[in-house]
Every structure is written in structure tokens, then in C-alpha cells.
Amino acid sequence: MGPEANEHDEDRDDASARTGAVPRGRRRRRIVLSAAVVALASLAVAALLFTGTLWPTRTAALRYPVQGVDVSAYQGTIDWGVLAEEDIDFAWIKATEGSSYRDPRFEDNWADAHDTDLFVGAYHFLSVDSPGTDQAANVIATVSRNRGDLPVVVDVECYAEYCDAPPSAATVREVLDPLLLAIEQHYGRPAVLYATRDWYERYLAGSYPANPIWFRSVATSPRLTDDRDWTFWQWSAREQLDGYDGDEEFIDMNAFRGTREDLESLLLP
């Protein structure tokens, strides 16, 4: 194609110069460069998110003055005196899961957290593989009923094979309903329901009006699809605070929708 191709290229360049149009080859190069810049910027943002340096919900979440954490054995040994000084007002501690599992650090965390000025509560991870009454017995045997504690939380989110194959709503309700009833009867307050967006929409939306909602939304401000107000908002899973030494270097942060006085109105009688 040699000389003929070069002549055509020169003609196109001359025409482009006369009309002000960008030659096709240059346009392609600009598109490639723009795509590369976007890709690099995306990688930079992803790195900041991964390290917890940038969190898209932080500005909105910190407008709520009452903040708290939730912890489990993954945070290792917690110095509650140090953690309580990290501009937080409350803490939920993992206690149980299913009908028999107990978090190995719950007893220490429970005792030590109560030596601080934090509002303290416990949470239970819901399993659909055992009866709700058995799970309630596990909670009640593990979590003492203390006046002034936060209500017990039931964590409703996917696990194991149920992340790819969610159970039916009837299956979840068959377990969840008797668990919630037993918790409310024993502790004197309705349980708080924690949920991820997908499991909220599948199993909780439009139901359980007496149970405060603790909603996970770490990319955007929370909005529940049934237009219900959330009470607690888990806005970050990658904060770093002082006071713990576990393999998990990050800690979850949560906002309460209200004042400390409003939070006190939810405490166990």
C-alpha cells in the first residue's frame, strides 16, 4: 500500500487542517489516554477506600453527633478504656450465632465495656439452620439482662451458601419471629434489627414496625425502600481507631439518628 496510502493520509491531514477537525488517529489516541486517566483515577480512589483513607459516607454520617462501633473476636483484645475515648458513645458486642455458638471474646468485652461510660449492647447473628426458640435460648443464656443496656440486636444478613441461594421469606420468618418474641419478652424491649440492603428488602421491608432498624449502607446515605426511618446506620466497615489488636485492623462505625437523650429512651428498663 506504500506510496498510495501516504498520499491519502496527506490529503486527510490537509482536509483536517482546513476544517479544524481532529484526525481520526489523534481522536483514538485521545480516547485511549482519557480511558487510561479514568482507570488510574479509579484505582487511586479504590486504594483510598480500601485503606479507609476515603469513605464516601463519612461527611454525611458525621453530621449525626451520636456515634458508635460494633466489635467481635476479630478485633482481638480490646482496651475499652482507650476505645471509649475515640469520640464514640455506644458499642455493640457480638455475643452469639445460631443455637450454640458464642463469640470467644464476648465475656471479656462485655465486662470491660461496662466499666466505661459507653452505652453497651450485644448482638446475635441469625441462622436459618436452627429454630428461633433455640437461638433465643442461646442469647438469653449468654447475654445478661442489665438495666440501662442497649437492646439486643438480631443481625439479619447472608452467610455461607445463602449468599448465592437466599432462603425463602417464609423460612426466615419461621426462625426470626419466635426469636424476636422471646428476646422482647425476656429483655423488655423489642430487638433492634440489623440488615444489609438486599436482606432488608427480601425479609424485613414493610414488616416489624416495633423493631428499630440498624441499616448497613457504606457507599451512600441510607434510604430504606419502604420509606421507613432507620434508627442506626452502619456507615463504614473500614475505620481505624485506637484500642484493639486483632487480625482485623478495621472497625465498623455507626451513627444514631438522634441525640444521646433519644438513645437513652431505647435502653433496657
Side-chain angles (χ1 to χ4, degrees):
M1 294 181 60
E4 293 183 359
N6 288 337
E7 290 173 5
H8 290 308
D9 288 343
E10 289 171 3
D11 290 342
R12 280 195 294 270
D13 288 344
D14 289 343
S16 297
R18 289 193 299 271
T19 62
V22 178
R24 192 174 302 168
R26 294 182 191 172
R27 285 201 299 272
R28 281 197 295 269
R29 286 194 295 273
R30 288 185 181 179
I31 291 170
V32 170
L33 284 172
S34 297
V37 169
V38 170
L40 287 172
S42 299
L43 287 172
V45 170
L48 291 172
L49 290 173
F50 182 78
T51 59
T53 304
L54 173 67
W55 206 253
T57 53
R58 180 179 281 116
T59 300
L62 291 180
R63 293 172 184 161
Y64 298 94
V66 181
Q67 297 283 321
V69 297
D70 59 276
V71 302
S72 70
Y74 290 118
Q75 272 73 40
T77 301
I78 297 176
D79 185 328
W80 282 95
V82 173
L83 185 60
E85 296 298 319
E86 291 285 275
D87 275 339
I88 59 173
D89 301 279
F90 65 90
W92 263 304
I93 301 167
K94 183 170 184 179
T96 49
E97 184 172 329
S99 61
S100 60
Y101 178 83
R102 298 183 183 185
D103 186 286
R105 296 212 55 83
F106 174 72
E107 287 188 12
D108 288 341
N109 283 333
W110 189 244
D112 294 346
H114 277 93
D115 287 337
T116 71
D117 292 330
L118 296 174
F119 297 117
V120 181
Y123 76 89
H124 169 80
F125 192 99
L126 179 74
S127 166
V128 296
D129 295 310
S130 58
T133 52
D134 293 350
Q135 296 188 49
N138 189 22
V139 175
I140 291 168
T142 305
V143 181
S144 57
R145 185 189 186 285
N146 302 317
R147 187 173 185 272
D149 277 353
L150 293 168
V152 171
V153 174
V154 176
D155 182 341
V156 182
E157 61 178 305
C158 78
Y159 64 96
E161 70 270 20
Y162 298 114
C163 292
D164 294 324
S168 68
T171 296
V172 172
R173 293 193 69 124
E174 184 178 2
V175 175
L176 181 59
D177 289 0
L179 171 61
L180 293 178
L181 177 61
I183 286 175
E184 183 172 357
Q185 289 177 340
H186 181 78
Y187 294 96
R189 283 278 188 267
V192 174
L193 285 169
Y194 169 95
T196 55
R197 184 177 301 277
D198 56 342
W199 275 48
Y200 181 85
E201 293 173 359
R202 285 179 182 276
Y203 306 115
L204 305 182
S207 302
Y208 306 105
N211 298 91
I213 298 300
W214 178 8
F215 194 68
R216 175 183 170 87
S217 184
V218 298
T220 62
S221 294
R223 182 181 180 279
L224 280 59
T225 54
D226 54 1
D227 292 325
R228 181 176 175 180
D229 286 338
W230 54 270
T231 303
F232 297 91
W233 168 23
Q234 187 180 85
W235 57 267
S236 174
R238 301 188 73 81
E239 293 300 299
Q240 292 179 299
L241 303 178
D242 292 331
Y244 57 94
D245 64 1
D247 293 336
E248 175 55 75
E249 61 181 302
F250 298 110
I251 196 168
D252 297 338
M253 286 295 298
N254 306 275
F256 171 67
R257 190 189 191 112
T259 64
R260 279 182 62 91
E261 290 73 22
D262 295 327
L263 183 58
E264 288 174 357
S265 71
L266 297 178
L267 302 180
L268 299 185

